[in-house]
Amino acid sequence: MENIPKKERIWSENKMDKIRAIVPAAGKGKRLQKLSVDMAKAMFRVGERPMLEIVLENLSFIDPKETYIIVGYGKEQITEYFGDRYCYTEQKEQLGTGHAVMTCQEAFRDFDGTVLITFGDMPLFRRSEMEKMCRQHQESGADCTLMTAENPEL
């Protein structure tokens, strides 16, 4: 894109400015081990589908080759299920979210665009809300945007 400041760019409904996604999915799911042993947390099923599949479907407005899944525990389950449609980085030792995101550092070194980070075990954010957040982020020119949710029953 030309040297137009972010705040002056016009949003296109058909095409986002450059955007990539990082999806941490390296966790063991320690609190879920009573339900199943030896399964990556993001591969636990919601209905008939792994949580990660729902998350990735909600990110389908981003090119799969621009989506980086961070694998660790149970990485074979994830890479075999999703194949080579997506990019993968490995977090060999689970040292937190920041460390997981750092595993993408080399792949993002020369990237100049929006980076969406969403977790592989959070399938409840809809695609429309993800797109809306990215659009608002790009239109605002903000350095960082955080999505939150309120539960009116709490």
Side-chain angles (χ1 to χ4, degrees):
M1 187 161 232
E2 300 95 18
N3 292 326
I4 302 171
K6 282 186 179 180
K7 291 181 181 177
E8 294 177 24
R9 292 182 187 167
I10 298 172
W11 174 256
S12 167
E13 290 297 330
N14 298 323
K15 179 179 173 285
M16 292 245 187
D17 286 343
K18 292 185 287 182
I19 185 166
R20 286 185 180 170
I22 297 176
V23 184
K28 291 181 180 180
K30 291 177 189 175
R31 293 181 292 273
L32 300 172
Q33 284 188 353
K34 292 179 182 177
L35 299 174
S36 177
V37 181
D38 209 26
M39 181 183 286
K41 179 171 61 171
M43 294 303 285
F44 275 84
R45 295 193 177 271
V46 174
E48 298 295 318
R49 300 167 54 198
M51 288 188 285
L52 182 56
E53 182 177 358
I54 298 166
V55 169
L56 294 172
E57 182 178 286
N58 290 335
L59 294 176
S60 62
F61 62 98
I62 301 172
D63 181 347
K65 287 299 182 188
E66 298 292 339
T67 299
Y68 291 74
I69 302 171
I70 301 168
V71 296
Y73 182 80
K75 71 178 181 179
E76 293 82 12
Q77 297 166 359
I78 293 171
T79 57
E80 287 175 16
Y81 189 90
F82 295 102
D84 62 358
R85 251 186 103 198
Y86 298 93
C87 299
Y88 300 94
T89 62
E90 185 176 2
Q91 184 185 26
K92 293 182 178 16
E93 187 178 359
Q94 280 66 57
L95 298 174
T97 303
H99 179 263
V101 171
M102 283 177 48
T103 66
C104 294
Q105 186 174 358
E106 190 57 38
F108 283 69
R109 184 170 308 285
D110 296 321
F111 179 71
D112 180 26
T114 299
V115 178
L116 171 65
I117 302 171
T118 188
F119 297 95
D121 62 351
M122 294 181 58
L124 301 179
F125 288 104
R126 294 186 198 114
R127 175 188 165 140
S128 60
E129 293 304 314
M130 296 283 212
E131 283 184 281
K132 181 179 175 182
M133 180 185 68
C134 289
R135 179 176 58 250
Q136 289 176 344
H137 170 78
Q138 291 178 338
E139 288 175 345
S140 73
D143 290 331
C144 180
T145 301
L146 178 67
M147 181 187 290
T148 61
E150 290 183 28
N151 183 341
E153 296 179 16
L154 295 179

